[in-house]
Amino acid sequence: MLYYAEDRVFRDIVLKSSEKILSISDRSAAFIKKGNRNPVIGYKPQIARSGNGFIPAILVPEGNVADSVSLLPMVEQVTGRTTVIPHTISTDDGYASKDNRRELLDLGVKIVSINGAKGKKLTPEDEWNSEEYQQARADRSAVESIMFTLKYVFDFGYVRRRGVE
């Protein structure tokens, strides 16, 4: 971090985010800026929630990766741990991709609901307007409330200060 600071200040060298070391004790920490939220140094944890509120999978990818690349590994983790292919997957627009949707349907997932404008564009209109998909979009708030609690009550995803006694 010292060498980067010297290069940045004295030589005007700016590294890509993926090349910066932000924590000596944990090199997987990343600079995370999302929308209008305050930027943080930490992680982008991903969780899966079952219909009964069980958390069968968690991913903490290194760096500031796009959510869309985490969706299939998350589902693989769920099916690997539970041996159950989810009936319904409901996500936000960050996970939207035509390939993700197609691969999940090919895997046997019955309802792949991706909320937001991108998801609506990827989903056939009759499915988007169906009761099942409307319910999937409404149920997505359950996982959002868990993430809110983990992040803002337990500071999950944030780097902590460490010291030597």
Side-chain angles (χ1 to χ4, degrees):
M1 288 188 316
L2 175 65
Y3 296 131
Y4 171 71
E6 286 178 351
D7 283 344
R8 177 73 178 100
V9 171
F10 298 117
R11 295 175 196 84
D12 204 27
I13 296 172
V14 179
L15 297 177
K16 290 189 238 174
S17 178
S18 61
E19 296 173 3
K20 294 177 184 176
I21 298 172
L22 302 173
S23 170
I24 294 171
S25 64
D26 185 353
R27 290 180 175 251
S28 64
F31 179 79
I32 303 191
K33 175 134 178 60
K34 196 170 181 180
N36 292 329
R37 300 178 201 162
N38 290 333
V40 297
I41 295 176
Y43 317 91
K44 286 179 72 176
Q46 313 281 323
I47 63 169
R49 179 192 181 276
S50 73
N52 293 325
F54 179 68
I55 306 295
I58 181 170
L59 291 177
V60 184
E62 285 194 20
N64 189 12
V65 299
D67 288 342
S68 60
V69 300
S70 299
L71 182 57
L72 294 174
M74 177 67 72
V75 174
E76 289 170 5
Q77 197 178 106
V78 168
T79 56
R81 287 191 173 146
T82 65
T83 68
V84 174
I85 294 172
H87 177 275
T88 302
I89 292 179
S90 184
T91 70
D92 64 29
D93 243 6
Y95 297 91
S97 99
K98 188 183 341 180
D99 290 340
N100 280 348
R101 180 172 160 72
R102 182 186 38 77
E103 288 190 45
L104 292 172
L105 291 170
D106 289 349
L107 182 67
V109 177
K110 302 294 183 222
I111 298 171
V112 178
S113 173
I114 303 171
N115 295 5
K118 292 181 202 171
K120 186 173 183 179
K121 192 174 182 180
L122 296 173
T123 308
E125 189 175 345
D126 60 321
E127 289 180 12
W128 182 266
N129 294 324
S130 72
E131 282 186 39
E132 291 175 308
Y133 274 74
Q134 289 177 28
Q135 187 62 51
R137 289 193 298 275
D139 290 345
R140 192 178 67 80
S141 65
V143 78
E144 294 296 337
S145 67
I146 291 171
M147 284 305 292
F148 178 87
T149 301
L150 288 172
K151 286 181 175 181
Y152 298 104
V153 174
F154 297 103
D155 289 334
F156 186 62
Y158 295 97
V159 173
R160 297 277 193 228
R161 289 185 179 207
R162 309 258 190 282
V164 178
E165 293 180 13

